[in-house]
Amino acid sequence: MEELDAAGSPVYILGGWCSPEEVLEFTIEDTFTGLGNFGKIFGVPDRAERLITELRGRLADVKQRVEGRTPVGALAADGGKGPVSAARPEAVLISDYATLRGEDMPSSQAKAADAFAIARNSPAAERERYLALPVAAQHPGYRNILAITDIARFLHPDAFAR
């Protein structure tokens, strides 16, 4: 941050990223506030508002689709051999890193196999039911490079037209 400040680069930081506790306090409303602020910063508040409206619509659709359904028990796994305290998960969510600090990471399939071995008598293991989630997509809001790129592409499509 000091280097950016010294270079005269303005910095906007959305809260909730400095510690695990702050991440837990971060809300979807904070994301919408940040999107609105990005729209103001880049001079495209109408585009930001349209994006916020679209995202709110998606959330409302998901809420409607799952309302009244029984929650699915899931085990979130980031690799390893256990032990974990997981009571017969119905599904496994795998943290998928293509690389981490420049090092190739185990595949999602390999991590899922480890998770299934830990919870070997579970419905998830019996059906080999897992979902690989990019780690970047697991952080609240849009503080990851993939989401920032999507937002920038939406707010400034002409900058990505090449």
Side-chain angles (χ1 to χ4, degrees), residues 15-26 140 143:
W17 65 276
C18 291
S19 71
E21 294 79 20
E22 288 178 353
V23 168
L24 293 174
E25 293 171 6
F26 195 88
R143 292 174 288 116

Side-chain angles (χ1 to χ4, degrees), residues 6 13 20 26 29-30 32 35 44 50 54 63 69-70 72 74 95 106 109 119-120 122 125 130 133 135 141 143:
I13 296 178
F26 195 88
E29 287 305 314
D30 292 329
F32 295 143
L35 286 171
V44 289
R50 284 195 304 271
E54 177 188 333
K63 184 176 181 180
R69 294 180 183 261
T70 303
V72 174
S95 294
Q109 190 173 18
R120 65 182 135 269
S122 70
Y130 78 95
L133 295 170
V135 172
R143 292 174 288 116

Side-chain angles (χ1 to χ4, degrees), residues 53-70:
T53 299
E54 177 188 333
L55 292 173
R56 285 186 190 278
R58 286 182 183 187
L59 288 172
D61 181 59
V62 168
K63 184 176 181 180
Q64 179 185 8
R65 289 174 184 268
V66 300
E67 193 169 15
R69 294 180 183 261
T70 303

Side-chain angles (χ1 to χ4, degrees), residues 70-146:
T70 303
V72 174
L75 168 64
D78 192 13
K81 307 285 183 190
V84 297
S85 176
R88 298 184 43 79
E90 297 171 64
V92 175
L93 305 175
I94 299 295
S95 294
D96 185 22
Y97 304 81
T99 60
L100 179 63
R101 292 181 221 112
E103 298 176 25
D104 289 335
M105 300 304 293
S107 71
S108 297
Q109 190 173 18
K111 286 183 177 183
D114 287 344
F116 296 146
I118 294 166
R120 65 182 135 269
N121 295 319
S122 70
E126 290 166 7
R127 292 186 298 241
E128 295 185 358
R129 183 179 181 200
Y130 78 95
L131 174 65
L133 295 170
V135 172
Q138 296 177 32
H139 297 283
Y142 51 85
R143 292 174 288 116
N144 60 72
I145 194 67
L146 298 176

